Amino acid sequence: MSKRKSSPAPVNPTKRTRTVEDENTQVHDDEQEELLSRQVLYAEDVVSDAGIVEGITLKNFMCHSHLGPFTFGSNVNFVVGNNGSGKSAILTALIVALGGNALATNRGASLKGFVKEGEGSADVSITLRNKGRDAYKPEVYGESIVVDLKITRDGLRTYKLKSRTGQVVSHKKEELLAILDNFNIQVNNPVSVLTQEMSKYFLHAKGEGDKYKFFMKATQLEQMREDFVYIKQTRQVTEDKVEQHSECLKDLKQKYQEKEECYKSLASLDEMHIRLEELQKQMAWALVAEMERETEPMKEKLQNDRSATKKYDEKVEEWKKKVQEAEKKQKQSQDELDGVTQQLSALQSKCAELKVGVQKRNVELKSSEVSVHRCKANLRDLEKDKAQLSSRINTLKLSISQTTGVESQARAERVEQLQTELEHLRHQISTLGQQIDQYQHACSRVKEEQGKMRREQQLLQKSNDAYRRNLQTMESSRSNRLRRFGEHMPALLDAINEAHRKGQFKHKPRGPLGYLISLKDPEMALAVEICLKGQLQAFTCDNYEDEKVLQNLMSKVFPAARRPAIITSHFLPCVHNTSKRAVNHPEYPSVLQALEIDDPVVANCLIDQRGIESILLIKNRTEARRVMQGRNPPQNCVQAFSKEGDQIFTNRSYTAEQTRANYLSGDVEEEIRHLQREISNQLALADRFQQQMGRLDEDLKQNEGLLRRTHMEQKTTKDKATKLQLELTDLKNVEEPQSEDLRPLEEDLQEIVSKISSMRVKHDEERAQMAEHKASYERAEQEYKQHRDRISAVAEEADSKKEELSKTDQEVLKCKHHKKHYDEKRSGHLRNVQTLEDSLANKEQELQASIAKATEICPKHQKVQRTARSLDSEISRLKVKISTQQEQQGDREEVMRQYHKALENYKNMAQQMKNLNSFIKSLDRVMNHRLQVYSELRRFVSARCKYYFDSMLAQRNYTGNMKFDHRNETLSITVHPGQGNKEDLNDMRSLSGGERSFSTVCFVLSLWAITEAPFRCLDEFDVYMDMVNRRISMDMMLKVAAGQRYRQFIFLTPQNMSSLPVSKIIRILRLKDPDRGQDNAQKADEEDQ
């Protein structure tokens, strides 16, 4: 059953007695531990060979971001960890990566369920040992084979089979299956890999029929039986074919006899066939002659076209020289303009300096004038003081003795009364001033609010007008979608069609471009519309002549309105190849991918003008920023648009002002309803604005009335206060007659006279300085005006140079346009020449083929005088004559061919019948022998399974029985814990959970002993055992592992396993407890014991 070498498990078949005393139990346990330690130590130096698992690594698998890398030992491995730490994930990854299906894991219905939530794919890497005599292609893979599995979110599974050095050897699953077959790895076999769910189901729900199926599948007897059934079906099909062929053989024999009679009575038709062959030779060379005559006009035309190419070359060279001369003049004009510009810049900087000097002289002059006026004012004040002081002295002298004490007292009382009234009026004036400020501020605030409201009202009116125009366009587009691109657009297209019908266009222009495209996803209408912008209403032409015709048509249809843009580009019959520069994102389409464009001209125009192959469409604006502004933006992507129209670059983004699609929206009625709602909202908002404006007008009128009344009241109060102030001043100016000495006043008068003299001297000096500053200012002003006139002259010269440069620019454009025109005509001519050359070459090839064919028919060249048509007529007549005669006598070759064919068919069918009958007899002999061997093998395997099962049970002093019923395909297992009669054996379903688990372990170990596999995996085999059963089961499995030297054992358990004996062949991998709050990678600590 396997080519792998193994040694049987060292189990003692002798049943030992079990005592109930604690001391005997302790002694028994100590003996078991000592025996297990010896066996483990004995197996330490044994190294497993090909097929065992050396390591495994998981990434984004199930609920784990990262597990591993785990390094497994060659013999016994325990994967220990709490629930959720990743034990079952490791076993599931092992099954899936080695070719198992998702259902075999009992963890999901499809592979995509194994990809971690939120990730795009899951990765599993498994390293298999490849040593020993059973190694698979060791010269290619080396001592290890690495199996890398990648599972995508869509459930696709891809493999990479690598050598030990990391070199990829294959991607094919057939190679993986060959490796698994070579190592005898069966991940779908529950004996090789027993998952937790399969173990639980086997413990609780397995019936006798299920146990038998489990046994048959584990021992591969089921596969052998299926092969036998397939062979029987193949034999039955072969017998059916033999029966069918026997009937056909009779018909073939009869047909063979009929053809043999025709062959014997066949007459000769050699003469007519010789004549027909001669005519066919003449016909072949007649066709060659006609083809040679057809190529002569083509050669003459090609020679003429080649001579005409020189004229086009001369024209292109002529305009090329003109372009060079115009560019030379343009450069000369540009250099002259640069020189004049530099001169003008220097003059302007000098003029600025002169202007600063003039301003400085002006400031000095103004300062001197201020000093002169100040001296003049001081002199005038001194003269006035002199006159007042003289008058005062005279008045005092006249009025010393005229005043009395009674007048002084009355004047003082009046002054006090006036001061009190003035204080009250000043307070009232201050209060009125504050009120005026408040009213003025209120008026200003209302006027400012009115201005703001008027601006908003104007914007609202413009928006309302735009909505009404859009509504009118949408309503008219119900019957004609073209009206969405402008009310004049249908008339323009009618004019284009009429002009094209009259032959005014070389190629019919395409447009508007937005009318010729459609969206695959209507939700992206706004994004595509903002992306394409003006191109939606644009037209495209093939050449400049068609552009001029289209411009004339537009000028007639659009007399005053804005005309659509025209893009001139050569029309191509197929869409550009954008595979190298286009963006290809697995989740989001480009604009080119999101559009349905039937016309390749339109697609090429949008690719050339807007680069739609390198612009992504991403519905969510946050996702768009993440994709575009992340560390690795998509290759070849220059920008992206969100569903709301936001434009996102790699380093910046812009928010769209437009909120609805005007041209590309699919539902016209919905757009009309939206526009109607917007117009209603705008009208309601306009009414609110009007009401608010009315309230503001009333507030302004009220505040202005209060302001006018307050101003009048303030003016009246100020006039009253002025009168009182004048009266108070007059009372204060009335002085009491003094009897003091007039000498101080006379001294002051004398001092004022001396000051007047000195001030007049200073005034003369300031006037002289002012005259000097005035002369300096006039000189600087004159120099500044002269420099400014010079700048004007240079500026006029620069304007003339600019005009000259503009003319040379136009001349360059004109020459380039003509050069491009002749280049295009020359290219078209060369294409025609190339087409003619290709046609001539094809004709030459056909001529050579015809000559070769004629040479095959008649090697000697013949000059045929007759035409091919007359020869064909004669050949037809001769064939009809031969056919008529063959109908009477039969064609010689056909009769011979049919005769030989009938003979060959008859012989082949007879030989096939003989071979098939021999095959059926051989198959019957082989099948009878193999069925006998299969029965014996099944009986032998059943006996070995019973033997090992009894031996395993005896280790715990259990008794049991396995009864195989191969006829009814059932397997009944009965177990009795402890000593007792065989009549008291119990079914496994009546046992406790631990006893049932122990019995199941014994059954699995007995199947291990009779089956071959490089590794075996058990997931939580001891979950229902008590401590005693768990320990005994563990000891048993370690004994089996120690005895089976070239196998690997992987046990997954949530137990601590601290009681295991110390050995190099036992490796414990402890998984970290799961972190429920985070999604960090889990790593295992390896512990070698």
Side-chain angles (χ1 to χ4, degrees):
M1 295 175 63
S2 173
K3 63 181 180 180
R4 299 177 58 84
K5 66 179 182 179
S6 63
S7 59
V11 294
N12 186 5
T14 305
K15 299 182 180 180
R16 293 175 294 182
T17 59
R18 179 183 177 187
T19 61
V20 295
E21 289 82 9
D22 295 337
E23 294 179 358
N24 293 339
T25 303
Q26 182 66 34
V27 171
H28 179 265
D29 292 342
D30 294 339
E31 291 176 356
Q32 289 290 93
E33 288 184 359
E34 183 179 356
L35 178 60
L36 175 61
S37 299
R38 289 200 303 271
Q39 291 175 341
V40 169
L41 290 173
Y42 170 75
E44 284 183 356
D45 297 332
V46 177
V47 179
S48 301
D49 57 2
I52 71 168
V53 180
E54 291 185 343
I56 185 170
T57 303
L58 283 67
K59 183 179 180 183
N60 297 329
F61 191 81
M62 296 178 70
C63 60
H64 303 279
S65 298
H66 189 81
L67 282 178
F70 301 108
T71 302
F72 293 99
S74 300
N75 196 250
V76 180
N77 297 270
F78 287 92
V79 182
V80 179
N82 293 327
N83 291 334
S85 60
K87 302 189 302 299
S88 297
I90 294 174
L91 187 60
T92 302
L94 184 66
I95 295 173
V96 173
L98 295 181
N101 52 32
L103 295 176
T105 65
N106 294 312
R107 293 284 178 172
S110 65
L111 292 177
K112 62 183 179 181
F114 296 134
V115 182
K116 187 175 183 293
E117 186 68 26
E119 299 295 338
S121 63
D123 298 300
V124 178
S125 179
I126 295 177
T127 304
L128 300 176
R129 182 170 295 176
N130 193 38
K131 296 180 181 179
R133 64 177 186 178
D134 293 334
Y136 180 80
K137 297 181 181 178
E139 70 280 359
V140 178
Y141 289 96
E143 295 184 352
S144 299
I145 299 176
V146 180
V147 180
D148 286 347
L149 169 66
K150 186 180 187 66
I151 303 174
T152 64
R153 174 58 63 185
D154 299 329
L156 298 178
R157 172 164 52 183
T158 57
Y159 285 100
K160 285 184 181 178
L161 301 177
K162 300 180 181 178
S163 65
R164 183 176 184 178
T165 60
Q167 182 179 2
V168 178
V169 178
S170 177
H171 293 272
K172 297 180 179 180
K173 189 175 181 182
E174 291 77 8
E175 180 74 4
L176 175 63
L177 295 177
I179 294 171
L180 299 178
D181 184 62
N182 182 78
F183 293 154
N184 198 29
I185 295 175
Q186 308 168 38
V187 292
N188 290 329
N189 191 337
V191 174
S192 294
V193 179
L194 186 61
T195 63
Q196 183 179 351
E197 294 296 326
M198 180 61 71
S199 176
K200 188 185 302 182
Y201 176 71
F202 182 75
L203 287 175
H204 294 283
K206 287 289 183 179
E208 295 180 353
D210 294 332
K211 288 186 179 68
Y212 186 83
K213 290 180 181 178
F214 188 85
F215 165 78
M216 294 290 286
K217 185 174 182 180
T219 56
Q220 294 183 291
L221 293 172
E222 180 70 23
Q223 182 65 38
M224 294 176 63
R225 184 169 61 180
E226 291 177 357
D227 293 342
F228 292 154
V229 172
Y230 175 73
I231 292 172
K232 287 182 179 180
Q233 293 175 353
T234 304
R235 181 189 180 282
Q236 185 62 40
V237 171
T238 305
E239 286 184 346
D240 295 340
K241 286 186 177 180
V242 169
E243 292 179 1
Q244 294 175 2
H245 288 173
S246 62
E247 297 294 331
C248 293
L249 185 62
K250 296 178 181 179
D251 297 337
L252 289 175
K253 185 176 182 180
Q254 183 180 358
K255 186 175 181 180
Y256 157 68
Q257 293 173 349
E258 293 175 356
K259 296 300 179 182
E260 187 178 16
E261 292 177 359
C262 293
Y263 175 70
K264 291 179 179 179
S265 61
L266 183 66
S268 176
L269 299 174
D270 292 341
E271 293 182 359
M272 282 190 288
H273 282 291
I274 292 173
R275 177 58 182 167
L276 178 62
E277 183 179 353
E278 182 65 25
L279 291 175
Q280 287 175 344
K281 292 179 180 179
Q282 295 180 9
M283 180 68 178
W285 288 108
L287 292 174
V288 170
E290 289 185 357
M291 195 168 294
E292 288 175 347
R293 287 193 295 269
E294 289 178 359
T295 57
E296 290 299 327
M298 296 178 66
K299 291 180 180 178
E300 294 178 0
K301 187 174 187 307
L302 180 61
Q303 186 176 1
N304 295 333
D305 288 345
R306 285 175 177 171
S307 61
T309 305
K310 297 180 180 179
K311 297 180 181 179
Y312 286 108
D313 293 339
E314 291 173 357
K315 276 290 184 182
V316 171
E317 191 65 27
E318 176 186 353
W319 282 105
K320 183 178 180 181
K321 291 180 180 179
K322 289 183 178 180
V323 168
Q324 294 175 352
E325 293 175 358
E327 289 178 345
K328 185 177 180 182
K329 290 181 181 178
Q330 181 188 34
K331 186 176 183 303
Q332 183 178 359
S333 300
Q334 184 67 46
D335 294 340
E336 292 176 356
L337 178 61
D338 293 340
V340 173
T341 304
Q342 293 177 359
Q343 184 180 1
L344 183 62
S345 300
L347 290 174
Q348 286 176 345
S349 61
K350 181 65 175 177
C351 184
E353 294 176 0
L354 292 175
K355 185 176 181 181
V356 171
V358 170
Q359 292 175 349
K360 183 177 179 182
R361 302 291 188 285
N362 189 20
V363 169
E364 293 175 352
L365 178 60
K366 295 295 183 184
S367 178
S368 298
E369 289 178 350
V370 169
S371 299
V372 170
H373 285 301
R374 187 184 301 115
C375 291
K376 191 181 291 185
N378 292 336
L379 189 60
R380 187 168 54 251
D381 293 340
L382 290 173
E383 291 288 348
K384 186 176 179 182
D385 291 342
K386 177 184 175 183
Q388 290 178 353
L389 189 57
S390 298
S391 176
R392 174 71 173 166
I393 292 172
N394 294 329
T395 303
L396 287 176
K397 289 179 179 180
L398 293 174
S399 61
I400 287 176
S401 60
Q402 295 180 1
T403 57
T404 61
V406 177
E407 293 176 354
S408 297
Q409 184 178 2
R411 192 165 51 252
E413 292 176 356
R414 180 59 180 167
V415 167
E416 183 178 358
Q417 181 184 0
L418 290 175
Q419 286 177 345
T420 303
E421 292 180 359
L422 276 173
E423 186 66 25
H424 175 70
L425 290 175
R426 288 193 187 100
H427 178 71
Q428 186 176 358
I429 290 171
S430 176
T431 302
L432 292 173
Q434 293 177 0
Q435 292 180 357
I436 289 172
D437 291 340
Q438 292 177 356
Y439 292 143
Q440 287 177 344
H441 180 68
C443 290
S444 300
R445 189 172 64 251
V446 172
K447 289 179 180 178
E448 183 180 353
E449 188 68 24
Q450 282 182 332
K452 183 178 179 181
M453 291 290 293
R454 288 191 184 95
R455 290 192 296 272
E456 291 182 359
Q457 200 168 11
Q458 290 175 356
L459 293 176
L460 183 63
Q461 184 63 35
K462 291 180 180 178
S463 177
N464 194 14
D465 294 340
Y467 278 128
R468 290 184 183 276
R469 288 195 299 271
N470 290 339
L471 178 61
Q472 184 178 359
T473 301
M474 285 292 178
E475 289 177 344
S476 61
S477 66
R478 284 172 170 169
S479 58
N480 190 352
R481 180 169 168 261
L482 266 176
R483 294 189 178 275
R484 299 183 71 171
F485 299 88
E487 58 181 351
H488 301 290
M489 200 60 72
L492 177 60
L493 284 187
D494 291 341
I496 290 173
N497 292 331
E498 182 64 23
H500 180 63
R501 188 181 61 80
K502 294 180 179 179
Q504 298 180 11
F505 290 111
K506 294 181 179 179
H507 297 276
K508 182 181 176 181
R510 311 296 201 274
L513 299 181
Y515 181 70
L516 301 175
I517 64 176
S518 59
L519 293 169
K520 296 180 181 178
D521 187 358
E523 291 186 16
M524 303 305 295
L526 178 60
V528 174
E529 190 166 312
I530 292 177
C531 173
L532 298 182
K533 296 180 181 176
Q535 275 89 4
L536 292 174
Q537 294 178 291
F539 284 75
T540 178
C541 293
D542 176 73
N543 52 76
Y544 290 103
E545 288 79 4
D546 291 350
E547 179 186 353
K548 291 179 181 178
V549 176
L550 184 58
Q551 288 281 13
N552 293 331
L553 295 178
M554 285 185 178
S555 63
K556 297 176 183 178
V557 178
F558 296 89
R562 182 180 177 183
R563 301 177 186 176
I566 300 177
I567 302 167
T568 303
S569 179
H570 181 61
F571 289 176
L572 297 176
C574 57
V575 181
H576 293 328
N577 182 9
T578 60
S579 58
K580 294 184 179 179
R581 63 176 185 272
V583 57
N584 290 310
H585 197 277
E587 298 182 25
Y588 309 112
S590 65
V591 177
L592 179 61
Q593 294 168 344
L595 294 177
E596 291 183 354
I597 309 175
D598 297 331
D599 194 342
V601 173
V602 177
N604 292 336
C605 181
L606 294 178
I607 290 172
D608 295 335
Q609 299 296 319
R610 195 64 183 90
I612 59 175
E613 78 282 0
S614 59
I615 302 174
L616 281 180
L617 294 178
I618 306 174
K619 291 186 178 181
N620 186 279
R621 59 164 68 104
T622 304
E623 179 67 13
R625 290 191 178 94
R626 184 190 67 78
V627 171
M628 292 298 297
Q629 298 176 358
R631 292 185 178 179
N632 297 314
Q635 187 178 4
N636 297 331
C637 182
V638 297
Q639 56 182 307
F641 285 87
S642 68
K643 180 175 66 174
E644 295 81 9
D646 294 351
Q647 188 177 13
I648 298 97
F649 294 89
T650 55
N651 56 355
R652 62 191 186 280
S653 60
Y654 301 100
T655 303
E657 298 179 357
Q658 186 176 343
T659 58
R660 305 276 300 187
N662 297 325
Y663 304 109
L664 301 179
S665 60
D667 193 348
V668 178
E669 297 299 329
E670 176 61 27
E671 290 296 325
I672 291 174
R673 288 192 294 272
H674 170 72
L675 290 173
Q676 290 173 347
R677 288 194 299 270
E678 289 294 331
I679 291 174
S680 300
N681 295 336
Q682 297 277 6
L683 293 176
L685 188 59
D687 293 338
R688 290 196 295 273
F689 276 162
Q690 196 65 32
Q691 294 173 5
Q692 194 170 355
M693 285 292 291
R695 290 194 296 270
L696 290 176
D697 289 339
E698 292 178 0
D699 292 344
L700 181 61
K701 289 179 182 178
Q702 183 179 0
N703 288 325
E704 287 178 347
L706 293 173
L707 181 62
R708 284 194 299 271
R709 287 196 295 273
T710 308
H711 270 300
M712 293 176 64
E713 186 177 355
Q714 187 187 39
K715 183 179 181 182
T716 303
T717 306
K718 284 183 178 181
D719 292 342
K720 187 175 181 182
T722 301
K723 291 179 181 179
L724 293 178
Q725 182 66 40
L726 291 174
E727 185 178 357
L728 179 62
T729 302
D730 291 341
L731 289 175
K732 286 183 177 181
N733 288 334
V734 177
E735 298 181 359
E736 294 289 340
Q738 301 290 334
S739 59
E740 74 268 11
D741 192 359
L742 296 178
R743 189 176 295 114
L745 293 178
E746 292 175 349
E747 291 176 356
D748 291 339
L749 180 61
Q750 187 63 32
E751 183 180 357
I752 289 173
V753 171
S754 63
K755 286 182 178 180
I756 289 173
S757 299
S758 62
M759 187 58 65
R760 283 178 178 168
V761 174
K762 185 178 180 182
H763 176 260
D764 294 339
E765 292 175 355
E766 292 291 340
R767 287 190 64 184
Q769 189 177 4
M770 183 184 72
E772 292 178 1
H773 286 310
K774 185 174 182 181
S776 176
Y777 168 73
E778 289 177 351
R779 287 195 300 272
E781 179 70 17
Q782 183 65 26
E783 185 179 0
Y784 171 68
K785 287 183 179 179
Q786 292 176 357
H787 209 79
R788 193 169 58 190
D789 293 340
R790 188 177 177 188
I791 287 176
S792 299
V794 174
E796 290 178 359
E797 184 179 358
D799 292 339
S800 64
K801 294 295 182 183
K802 287 180 181 179
E803 292 178 0
E804 183 178 351
L805 180 61
S806 176
K807 291 180 181 178
T808 56
D809 289 340
Q810 293 177 0
E811 183 66 23
V812 169
L813 292 175
K814 179 181 176 182
C815 293
K816 286 184 176 180
H817 177 76
H818 285 290
K819 180 180 175 296
K820 183 178 179 182
H821 170 70
Y822 283 107
D823 277 335
E824 291 177 352
K825 292 192 71 174
R826 178 176 175 273
S827 299
H829 176 72
L830 291 177
R831 285 195 297 271
N832 294 334
V833 171
Q834 185 63 40
T835 303
L836 187 58
E837 288 177 349
D838 295 340
S839 300
L840 183 59
N842 293 333
K843 280 290 184 182
E844 291 288 347
Q845 291 178 358
E846 292 176 2
L847 177 60
Q848 294 300 325
S850 181
I851 292 175
K853 189 175 181 181
T855 305
E856 290 178 0
I857 298 174
C858 179
K860 185 178 179 181
H861 188 279
Q862 295 185 5
K863 291 185 178 180
V864 183
Q865 301 298 329
R866 299 174 59 182
T867 63
R869 186 173 181 179
S870 63
L871 290 172
D872 185 62
S873 299
E874 186 174 352
I875 289 172
S876 299
R877 290 194 299 270
L878 186 58
K879 285 182 177 180
V880 171
K881 188 175 180 180
I882 292 174
S883 177
T884 304
Q885 192 168 351
Q886 283 179 346
E887 289 178 358
Q888 297 173 358
Q889 298 179 353
D891 181 64
R892 178 185 180 87
E893 294 180 358
E894 181 64 21
V895 170
M896 291 177 65
R897 187 186 64 79
Q898 290 180 0
Y899 165 71
H900 290 299
K901 184 177 180 181
L903 178 60
E904 184 179 0
N905 291 339
Y906 174 70
K907 289 182 179 180
N908 290 337
M909 183 59 68
Q911 186 63 34
Q912 288 181 10
M913 290 285 294
K914 183 178 179 181
N915 294 337
L916 287 175
N917 289 322
S918 176
F919 170 74
I920 291 173
K921 292 178 181 179
S922 301
L923 186 62
D924 290 337
R925 288 196 306 271
V926 172
M927 280 298 297
N928 293 331
H929 176 69
R930 289 200 176 187
L931 286 173
Q932 292 176 1
V933 174
Y934 169 76
S935 300
E936 293 176 0
L937 177 63
R938 184 177 59 185
R939 181 169 52 81
F940 174 72
V941 170
S942 302
R944 287 189 67 196
C945 188
K946 288 181 183 180
Y947 170 76
Y948 285 115
F949 183 70
D950 292 340
S951 300
M952 299 296 176
L953 289 177
Q955 295 189 29
R956 199 164 171 211
N957 214 10
Y958 282 19
T959 57
N961 184 31
M962 297 179 68
K963 184 178 181 180
F964 289 91
D965 187 353
H966 297 299
R967 182 180 300 277
N968 297 321
E969 296 184 354
T970 60
L971 170 59
S972 61
I973 300 176
T974 54
V975 177
H976 179 71
Q979 295 178 347
N981 296 325
K982 290 189 176 182
E983 289 87 1
D984 300 333
L985 295 178
N986 298 325
D987 187 73
M988 290 181 64
R989 288 175 292 185
S990 63
L991 301 176
S992 65
E995 293 170 344
R996 190 184 307 122
S997 297
F998 174 74
S999 302
T1000 303
V1001 169
C1002 293
F1003 181 43
V1004 172
L1005 291 177
S1006 64
L1007 291 176
W1008 281 7
I1010 64 174
T1011 57
E1012 292 292 335
F1015 61 83
R1016 308 186 191 278
C1017 300
L1018 283 182
D1019 186 9
E1020 297 193 12
F1021 60 91
D1022 55 352
V1023 67
Y1024 295 107
M1025 294 184 185
D1026 53 17
M1027 292 301 296
V1028 176
N1029 285 318
R1030 181 180 294 113
R1031 182 175 181 182
I1032 294 174
S1033 299
M1034 185 62 64
D1035 293 344
M1036 292 171 60
M1037 287 189 290
L1038 289 178
K1039 288 179 183 179
V1040 171
Q1044 297 183 1
R1045 304 178 182 181
Y1046 297 98
R1047 295 195 183 95
Q1048 183 185 42
F1049 299 87
I1050 301 173
F1051 303 112
L1052 286 76
T1053 175
Q1055 306 301 325
N1056 189 18
M1057 294 292 124
S1058 59
S1059 62
L1060 290 174
V1062 177
S1063 174
K1064 292 182 180 180
I1065 68 169
I1066 299 178
R1067 176 166 293 183
I1068 301 177
L1069 285 82
R1070 301 188 185 277
L1071 303 185
K1072 291 183 178 180
D1073 292 340
D1075 189 357
R1076 301 300 182 184
Q1078 298 179 355
D1079 211 6
N1080 296 329
Q1082 302 291 331
K1083 293 186 177 180
D1085 295 333
E1086 295 186 2
E1087 183 178 321
D1088 293 337
Q1089 296 189 359

